Every structure is written in C-alpha cells, then in structure tokens.
Amino acid sequence: MRIGCTGHQNLSPATRRQVAQAIAEQIALTADDELIGITNLAEGADQLFSFSLLAAGGQLHAVVPSKSYESSFQTFQLSQRVQGSSAPCR
C-alpha cells in the first residue's frame, strides 16, 4: 500500500505530539507488508510521518524538490539520513 503525507511545518510542541500520535495510529491501521510512504521530508508533519512510517517497518520514498534540499532541514538527524548513502529512503 502507498500512502502520502504533507502538512504544516511550524507546529507547537503540543500539536507535534498530537499529530505524531494521530499519524502513528493511522499508519498502524493501514500497515501491511509492502507499506510505502511518500513525502518531501519538510520540517514538521512530513518528518513526523516519515519517522512513524519507518518505525512501523515501512519504506520511505522522498520527493526531493531541489538540489541541496537537505540543507534547509533544522533537524540534523534527518538531514544526515537524506545525505548519507545508507539513508532509509529513496
């Protein structure tokens, strides 16, 4: 199954927790052996989706909209995953 996600970037800590929980719940409901998530990895909801998807054992297909896109990430961990050859996303 393929699912996609895009959402707001600037989330308060309380909203981040609620969004992360809701995303994890939805992924759990739709998870199967061939779960593929599609997103552009922007800060906020897109990254919450990505981490939940990977935690559930899914594959991540990233839409990278520009060269050096990872330099716009404030989250160092995800920036390193996108740059590195061992990145868990395509």
Side-chain angles (χ1 to χ4, degrees), residues 3 12 14 22 32 36 39 47 52 58-59 64 66 74-75 81 85:
I3 55 175
S12 70
D32 64 19
I36 299 172
T39 188
Q47 290 186 13
S52 290
Q59 295 180 36
V64 180
S66 64
Q74 294 177 16
T75 305
R81 285 185 177 180
S85 61

Side-chain angles (χ1 to χ4, degrees), residues 20-31:
Q21 181 179 349
I23 288 172
E25 289 171 1
Q26 288 302 309
I27 288 174
L29 291 174
T30 59

Side-chain angles (χ1 to χ4, degrees), residues 12-88:
S12 70
T15 301
R16 285 182 69 83
R17 287 188 295 274
Q18 291 175 338
V19 170
Q21 181 179 349
I23 288 172
E25 289 171 1
Q26 288 302 309
I27 288 174
L29 291 174
T30 59
D32 64 19
D33 292 341
E34 297 181 22
L35 181 61
I36 299 172
I38 304 166
T39 188
N40 70 5
L41 300 174
E43 296 283 342
D46 295 19
Q47 290 186 13
L48 294 172
F49 168 76
S50 300
F51 291 130
S52 290
L53 177 82
L54 294 172
Q59 295 180 36
L60 180 61
H61 290 202
V63 177
V64 180
S66 64
K67 187 175 182 177
S68 301
Y69 178 61
E70 71 278 359
S71 66
S72 70
F73 297 159
Q74 294 177 16
T75 305
F76 178 76
Q77 181 183 11
L78 189 57
S79 177
Q80 293 297 80
R81 285 185 177 180
V82 172
Q83 284 182 8
S85 61
S86 62

